[in-house]
Amino acid sequence: MSAPSIVILTGAGISRESGLATFRDADGIWAKVRIEDVATPEAFRRDPMRVHGFYNARRAQLRDAALQPNAAHLALAELDGCWPGDLLLVTQNVDDLHARAGSRRLLHMHGELMKARCGRCEAVHPWAADLSTGTPCPACRQTGSMRPHVVWFGEMPLELKQISAALDRCDLFVAIGTSGQVYPAAGFVAEVRGRARTVELNLEATEGSRLFDEVRYGPATQTVPAFVHELVQSL
Ligand code: BV8
């Protein structure tokens, strides 16, 4: 019997105990700034420096040496390293904590804060510094066209074909630290339920909890290592 095929979906909750704010908790990002002002293509066209300021502040957090992957990121990286079956970690997060923890079979469906893209030549560059409307593209040298390599609301998420193929063949779907309110990610569980075992790991019930076979409550740094331990023991 081959090892089950696993798809894991993570959201901002998995990075919360590393010190990064979530989006929809009471102290979350969308409690302080409106999506329409900083996370849509229209916002960028209207006031690019305001959008750059929003992402520059979040990118600066990732450069802070105090920001480290937590036990949940590390447990998923350990699973990635030892799981003999198919495994795909799909994250909605734009932070780099999964990669820094060691996850390799990883897709950032909403892009990555530590990358920048030229709106003119579409080249994508690793990027840890601030961006501004005066930043030239390293490839085409144009200024005024560099943007964060993140997926804004109304834009097409990345790698959807690969994600859909993984969902089609998965036996286990685990959603960790996501409120299940942003599509198409929030729709993944409905795609697989009934033919895959579905598990939600969260601090509390979410919009989609009723769609899961099993929900486990608690902080990710406790629920994820325990769940990974069970999976490894089952090999
Ligand atoms: C799309 C990157 C077409 C940027 C993000 C009108 C026009 C166009 C589209 C739409 C529209 N109306 C609706 C839509 C669809 C829209 C959407 O879903 N809107 C919502 C608001 C209704 N979606 C889109 O626009 C997407 N594109 O639809 O294109 C299309 C359609 C079909 C198929 C293909 C294409 C693009 C959406 C991507 C937007 N970009 N991020 C940035 O980061 O600034 S979304 C943003 O929300 C982040 O990526 C974030 O990850 C994501 C989801 O949020 P969560 O991760 O779930 O975070 P949240 O704070 O909500 O929840 C945290 C959870 O953690 C909570 O449950 C909490 O309890 C838990 N938690 C907290 N602490 C812990 C914990 N759990 C465990 N342990 C803890 N310690």
Side-chain angles (χ1 to χ4, degrees):
M1 161 83 170
S2 64
S5 170
I6 304 177
V7 174
I8 300 163
L9 174 70
T10 61
I14 200 167
S15 297
R16 185 71 190 84
E17 291 163 89
S18 292
L20 288 179
T22 63
F23 289 89
R24 291 170 189 83
D25 287 334
D27 61 345
I29 292 173
W30 301 144
K32 300 182 175 72
V33 67
R34 287 173 358 115
I35 288 174
E36 297 75 10
D37 292 336
V38 293
T40 66
E42 296 73 24
F44 190 60
R45 273 193 291 278
R46 186 170 59 244
D47 189 349
M49 278 315 292
R50 173 159 191 194
V51 174
H52 280 312
F54 174 64
Y55 287 98
N56 288 343
R58 289 171 63 194
R59 193 177 304 106
Q61 284 185 293
L62 302 191
R63 296 196 298 262
D64 180 342
L67 184 83
Q68 293 296 324
N70 62 52
H73 298 106
L74 295 168
L76 292 183
E78 179 205 340
L79 183 65
D80 184 14
C82 75
W83 193 254
D86 287 338
L87 180 144
L88 182 61
L89 171 52
V90 180
T91 187
Q92 299 174 89
N93 300 340
V94 293
D95 66 55
D96 57 351
L97 294 173
H98 281 306
R100 287 175 55 196
S103 283
R104 292 287 169 268
R105 293 181 276 183
L106 167 64
L107 287 183
H108 280 267
M109 68 179 290
H110 292 164
E112 298 174 69
L113 205 42
M114 295 299 258
K115 290 183 179 172
R117 185 169 85 238
C118 176
R120 204 175 298 269
C121 72
E122 294 301 310
V124 175
H125 310 278
W127 207 277
D130 284 357
L131 275 174
S132 82
T133 49
T135 306
C137 166
C140 72
R141 310 305 307 157
Q142 294 286 335
T143 55
S145 58
M146 290 299 282
R147 58 167 281 180
H149 182 52
V150 300
V151 177
W152 286 323
F153 286 92
E155 294 187 319
M156 190 70 77
L158 307 175
E159 313 284 0
L160 287 179
K161 268 178 72 178
Q162 194 175 338
I163 294 168
S164 194
L167 290 171
D168 286 350
R169 64 172 183 266
C170 81
D171 305 301
L172 171 62
F173 176 76
V174 192
I176 304 171
T178 179
S179 63
Q181 295 184 42
V182 174
Y183 289 84
F188 292 165
V189 61
E191 271 183 61
V192 303
R193 68 193 293 256
R195 61 174 171 77
R197 178 188 168 207
T198 54
V199 178
E200 182 180 55
L201 307 182
N202 202 301
L203 273 184
E204 60 192 16
T206 67
E207 299 250 326
S209 293
R210 60 185 168 71
L211 299 173
F212 287 85
D213 299 322
E214 188 184 350
V215 181
R216 299 188 183 184
Y217 298 125
T221 55
Q222 292 172 23
T223 59
V224 179
F227 190 69
V228 165
H229 179 71
E230 282 175 28
L231 285 175
V232 174
Q233 291 300 309
S234 72
L235 282 174

